[in-house]
Each structure stands twice: as structure tokens, then as C-alpha cells.
Amino acid sequence: AQSVTQPDIHITVSEGASLELRCNYSYGATPYLFWYVQSPGQGLQLLLKYFSGDTLVQGIKGFEAEFKRSQSSFNLRKPSVHWSDAAEYFCAVGNNDMRFGAGTRLTVKP
Amino acid sequence: NAGVTQTPKFQVLKTGQSMTLQCAQDMNHEYMSWYRQDPGMGLRLIHYSVGAGITDQGEVPNGYNVSRSTTEDFPLRLLSAAPSQTSVYFCASSYSTGPRGLSLHFGNGTRLTVT
């Protein structure tokens, strides 16, 4: 069955520093992969997705993610974090039967 | 454009009561789904629908029923509420289940407490 692991429950970075959030997946075929962000008290918003082609995917808010089939990973990156990026981030795999990871909470230090 | 609308925002039930969580979208999306979010567990798929008249089970369907009589609405029914169903429930929709994959639009959630 498809599944997602986000190894980091909580990450703290300084404003202006770079960010990488890890995601590992288990899926039987070429996966659909997603990153979503959730601000407190809100629903989730799609940041980016991979479904085929170029393995480096650009998303909204300056985020990007790289699909690495050999490592079963889809890590999210941002070169310079802003205070407004503080939120919870979810990796997901699949399509109709989409499965989410447990999430990584990002804290941004001034 | 309202997007995905969930009602109510908050609900308290007693064990054994039944209720329906409402979800409506005005984007003419074919795909709709229900998730529950619990601390440390991310979102877990309850049921989903790829179009009117079609529903399927997700990861945690027990204790929940759904129907999809129109494209716009996808209500979630709790048949006999249990404390284990205390959670935040999210409805989501997407324009297509085609080769480009889903782009889920989420509602703002319903916080349910079962005592």
C-alpha cells in the first residue's frame, strides 16, 4: 500500500536561512507526489506536485521539490525562509486514494 | 467564488448520536473527498468520490457513510458517534483525476467533539 514518511516532526530555522523538509514514500508505480501547507486553523493549500517529466518541480511561494526515484524521496526546499512560512507542511502520495504524511511543523526564528 | 464550504465549523455530540457534516463546492469539481486530521497522524482519507453517483472507501471508512447525488455536494454521515471520532474533518475537491493528478482544494474544517 502507498505510504508517506516525514521523518522530522518539528524543524526550527532562522529567517533568511535555507530550508529542506524531508519526505520518503512507498508506492508501487510512478507516483503522484504533493506538498501541502497548513496555517493554524486553516485548511491545506497545495504548494506543488510531481506527476511526470522534470524531477525538479517549482511551486508557489518560492518553494521547490526534487523527485529522486532511487531514494524514494520528494524533499521540499526553499533558499531563504520568511517568517510567514511558519506553518505545518504535509507530503502526500497517490491520486484518488491520496495518503498524507504526519506533517512537519516549521518554526521560523527572527 | 466560495470554493469548498464546510458546515458546521464546530460540533459537540454525545456518544451514539448521529449527524451529517456538510460539504459543498462551487467549482464544478468532479473529485471530492473527506479526511480526518488527528495530532501526529496527518490526514487520513475516509471516503472519496470521482463523480456524482460514485463513492469509494479510503483508509478509515468505518463508522462513516457518504453519498454523492450531485456534483456540488458530498455530505459525510456519522451513524453512531464514538469518542474515537473526535477529530477535525476536512472536505477537499479537485477538478480532475486525470494524468496530471489531483490539485486538492480544502475547506476550513469541522471540529467535532464526541463526549
Side-chain angles (χ1 to χ4, degrees):
Chain A
Q2 60 208 32
S3 64
V4 173
T5 301
Q6 293 181 248
D8 304 305
I9 296 172
H10 185 203
I11 284 182
T12 299
V13 299
S14 297
E15 190 167 16
S18 64
L19 171 70
E20 182 168 24
L21 301 183
R22 295 184 291 163
C23 172
N24 294 99
Y25 68 90
S26 172
Y27 195 77
T30 300
Y32 291 93
L33 292 160
F34 309 83
W35 276 98
Y36 284 84
V37 61
Q38 184 180 33
S39 299
Q42 301 294 315
L44 282 70
Q45 181 184 22
L46 178 65
L47 285 175
L48 48 78
K49 66 179 176 181
Y50 170 81
F51 55 95
S52 68
D54 193 346
T55 56
L56 186 61
V57 180
Q58 302 297 321
I60 62 171
K61 305 186 182 189
F63 286 92
E64 67 178 25
E66 186 170 13
F67 169 55
K68 293 185 177 180
R69 185 188 300 276
S70 62
Q71 298 177 19
S72 297
S73 70
F74 189 57
N75 294 349
L76 182 71
R77 300 193 294 250
K78 186 169 185 178
S80 177
V81 170
H82 188 263
W83 64 266
S84 61
D85 294 324
E88 189 147 21
Y89 292 80
F90 293 93
C91 183
V93 66
N95 207 16
N96 292 348
D97 189 13
M98 191 180 298
R99 302 299 173 94
F100 283 77
T104 297
R105 182 179 304 278
L106 174 65
T107 297
V108 180
K109 291 192 303 186
Chain B
N1 196 350
V4 179
T5 303
Q6 291 185 238
T7 54
K9 293 189 186 330
F10 301 94
Q11 183 69 51
V12 179
L13 290 178
K14 295 188 188 307
T15 298
Q17 287 184 318
S18 62
M19 79 157 295
T20 299
L21 307 185
Q22 301 292 345
C23 176
Q25 52 89 10
D26 61 359
M27 297 173 283
N28 202 31
H29 285 174
E30 290 295 323
Y31 179 91
M32 296 185 75
S33 56
W34 277 101
Y35 287 87
R36 60 176 290 173
Q37 183 176 28
D38 303 291
M41 303 187 74
L43 281 79
R44 292 182 291 168
L45 182 64
I46 303 172
H47 287 285
Y48 65 94
S49 169
V50 298
I54 306 169
T55 64
D56 210 341
Q57 296 182 350
E59 189 179 0
V60 290
N62 292 341
Y64 307 96
N65 269 2
V66 292
S67 60
R68 184 95 181 270
S69 56
T70 67
T71 299
E72 294 77 20
D73 300 299
F74 192 45
L76 178 72
R77 297 182 186 84
L78 280 70
L79 308 173
S80 177
S84 60
Q85 293 179 303
T86 293
S87 187
V88 180
Y89 291 83
F90 287 99
C91 180
S93 70
S94 177
Y95 57 85
S96 173
T97 62
R100 294 180 60 87
L102 299 177
S103 295
L104 291 177
H105 295 253
F106 281 83
N108 285 331
T110 294
R111 185 175 295 274
L112 175 68
T113 302
V114 183
T115 61

